[in-house]
Amino acid sequence: MAAAALEFLEAQRVTQPELAEWYMALADLYQRKLWHQLTLKLDQFLALAVVQAGDALIQLYNHFISDFETKINLLKFAHFTVVISRQYLDKDAGINYLEGVILKLQDTRESRVEEPILYVKMQIATFLLEKGNQKDCKKLLEEGKTTLNSLVDVDPSIHASYYWICSQYHNACQDYSEFYKSALLYLAYTTVESLSEPFKQNMAFDLSLAALLGENIYNFGELLAHPIPALVKNERRLHEKINVLCLMDIVFSRSSHDRTIPLHDIAERTRLSIEDVEYLLMKSLSAHLIEGIIDQVDGIVHVSWVQPRVLGIEQVKSLRDRLDTWVGKVHTTLLSVEAETPDLISS
């Protein structure tokens, strides 16, 4: 078996020269039976994007890792198999593979084998949820919670995997409060450095939405204290955007012939000083959100144009009322012209 494993690594080294040094290092550590160092090297190797395409990791497991899988740290072995399982295009095939891994872990009869087994089961729960099988996913989560509560000194990756799939299950069920709790617990057991920027942005968005929609969530302190939301460090920019939107709403709410606005009216609505209102107007003018002239002497702004925007129901109603008023005025003017100049109209 050892010879077959080495032959596989040599074949891979030849066919993938860009990874030649990796395969040579794996072969060297394997031959010297340095299982701990081999585990660390494999951990780095499996994280490479280039080997996560196709079925490269499945082949690596079948022809190499399977030869010494239970000689290395079992939790690390579980980590490896979860990464490998994601290369199966068919989720049922991925589940079957992981169920086989669980049997191998059970056969070791190690004292702390429940931890790696739980980690693997949470990936099975993930596959079930992705298949739309919420019932069996929930069952595994309930069993996982019982197991987790019975363990002591648990590795953070176990907690993270459990709370992650919990968060995804509750998100699928649109239970925003439970998603919020589970997602924050997941983050509590995960280092921010290990998360990609797109993942952090998506998580921050989902958490913020859940905080707004979830029942009985009135304290956002824990969310705002976490480094993944960019809300706190961008507070000034957000506040500025809110004020600009408020200004545009003030302008839009007025009819086209009533857009000479006192600066103190804007200050009252935005809760800004007159100086800050002037800065807000200049910012809006430079960004072409509005067009007009600021009269600092009289303390007013003449707005001639405001950027079009998507209208809500109330704003559409307001626009309808303005059109009705305009039609009424046009009709009145027409009647007046007809009454005063009948000869001209008849001719």
Side-chain angles (χ1 to χ4, degrees):
M1 187 66 179
L6 290 172
E7 286 176 7
F8 170 78
L9 293 179
E10 177 60 20
Q12 295 301 109
R13 186 186 69 80
V14 173
T15 57
Q16 300 182 70
E18 72 278 10
L19 297 174
E21 292 185 8
W22 284 95
Y23 285 114
M24 289 174 63
L26 292 174
D28 176 60
L29 295 171
Y30 172 76
Q31 285 182 299
R32 292 195 287 159
K33 298 183 178 358
L34 299 176
W35 306 126
H36 176 66
Q37 291 88 334
L38 179 57
T39 301
L40 296 178
K41 198 68 177 178
L42 272 173
D43 201 16
Q44 297 171 350
F45 185 66
L46 266 63
L48 297 177
V50 66
V51 299
Q52 291 185 359
D55 66 346
L57 294 184
I58 296 174
Q59 297 302 321
L60 183 71
Y61 173 81
N62 291 337
H63 299 287
F64 180 60
I65 298 176
S66 59
D67 184 58
F68 57 89
E69 56 193 7
T70 57
K71 295 177 183 178
I72 63 176
N73 178 279
L74 294 184
L75 182 54
K76 271 298 179 185
F77 169 51
H79 288 177
F80 295 161
T81 59
V82 164
V83 173
I84 293 165
S85 71
R86 294 172 185 149
Q87 284 206 322
Y88 284 93
L89 298 179
D90 179 59
K91 298 192 190 317
D92 286 327
I95 291 173
N96 290 335
Y97 164 70
L98 291 176
E99 287 175 343
V101 169
I102 289 174
L103 293 176
K104 291 180 180 181
L105 289 169
Q106 289 172 337
D107 287 343
T108 65
R109 302 187 183 279
E110 291 284 342
S111 58
R112 295 181 63 89
V113 75
E114 295 90 351
E115 285 188 42
I117 289 176
L118 179 56
Y119 188 85
V120 172
K121 283 185 176 180
M122 290 305 95
Q123 181 58 37
I124 293 176
T126 300
F127 283 143
L128 290 171
L129 185 62
E130 290 173 353
K131 287 179 58 182
N133 188 345
Q134 295 183 359
K135 181 180 177 181
D136 287 341
C137 175
K138 182 181 180 181
K139 183 180 178 182
L140 276 180
L141 288 176
E142 290 171 347
E143 294 173 357
K145 183 177 181 180
T146 301
T147 302
L148 197 57
N149 289 338
S150 68
L151 299 174
V152 294
D153 193 24
V154 182
D155 188 88
S157 66
I158 307 296
H159 284 287
S161 66
Y162 170 75
Y163 287 118
W164 168 251
I165 183 55
C166 275
S167 73
Q168 298 309 292
Y169 170 77
H170 293 307
N171 198 30
C173 297
Q174 295 188 330
D175 188 336
Y176 299 109
S177 295
E178 290 302 318
F179 165 78
Y180 183 79
K181 296 174 188 175
S182 297
L184 284 178
L185 284 167
Y186 162 73
L187 291 173
Y189 289 100
T190 307
T191 58
V192 177
E193 295 75 22
S194 67
L195 306 176
S196 68
E197 282 304 315
F199 181 91
K200 287 189 284 188
Q201 291 171 7
N202 290 334
M203 178 62 84
F205 175 82
D206 290 343
L207 275 171
S208 300
L209 188 63
L212 294 173
L213 299 179
E215 289 186 34
N216 301 319
I217 299 177
Y218 300 103
N219 187 344
F220 305 146
E222 190 174 359
L223 173 60
L224 293 175
H226 200 278
I228 67 159
L231 299 175
V232 177
K233 63 182 180 182
N234 290 295
E235 182 180 2
R236 186 191 63 79
R237 186 184 304 171
L238 289 171
H239 194 259
E240 184 179 272
K241 284 192 174 185
I242 291 170
N243 286 329
V244 168
L245 290 172
C246 183
L247 171 64
M248 293 176 70
D249 188 66
I250 293 170
V251 176
F252 196 83
S253 64
R254 292 172 172 253
S255 61
S256 59
H257 63 272
D258 183 27
R259 288 186 173 171
T260 297
I261 310 170
L263 299 188
H264 64 77
D265 285 0
I266 300 174
E268 185 178 344
R269 285 280 298 275
T270 59
R271 300 179 183 177
L272 296 173
S273 66
I274 296 297
E275 292 77 14
D276 287 337
V277 167
E278 291 175 355
Y279 171 79
L280 177 65
L281 288 167
M282 288 187 287
K283 176 79 175 179
S284 302
L285 287 166
S286 66
H288 302 292
L289 299 173
I290 63 172
E291 291 180 5
I293 300 172
I294 304 172
D295 187 336
Q296 292 177 308
V297 176
D298 292 334
I300 57 176
V301 59
H302 304 279
V303 180
S304 57
W305 178 85
V306 60
Q307 185 186 71
R309 58 178 178 164
V310 176
L311 303 179
I313 296 298
E314 292 303 318
Q315 291 161 328
V316 171
K317 288 179 180 178
S318 175
L319 192 58
R320 179 200 61 191
D321 293 340
R322 287 192 218 170
L323 285 171
D324 288 343
T325 301
W326 178 77
V327 169
K329 288 181 179 180
V330 170
H331 183 65
T332 300
T333 303
L334 176 61
L335 293 176
S336 176
V337 170
E338 288 176 344
E340 293 179 9
T341 56
D343 296 335
L344 181 61
I345 297 297
S346 61
S347 63

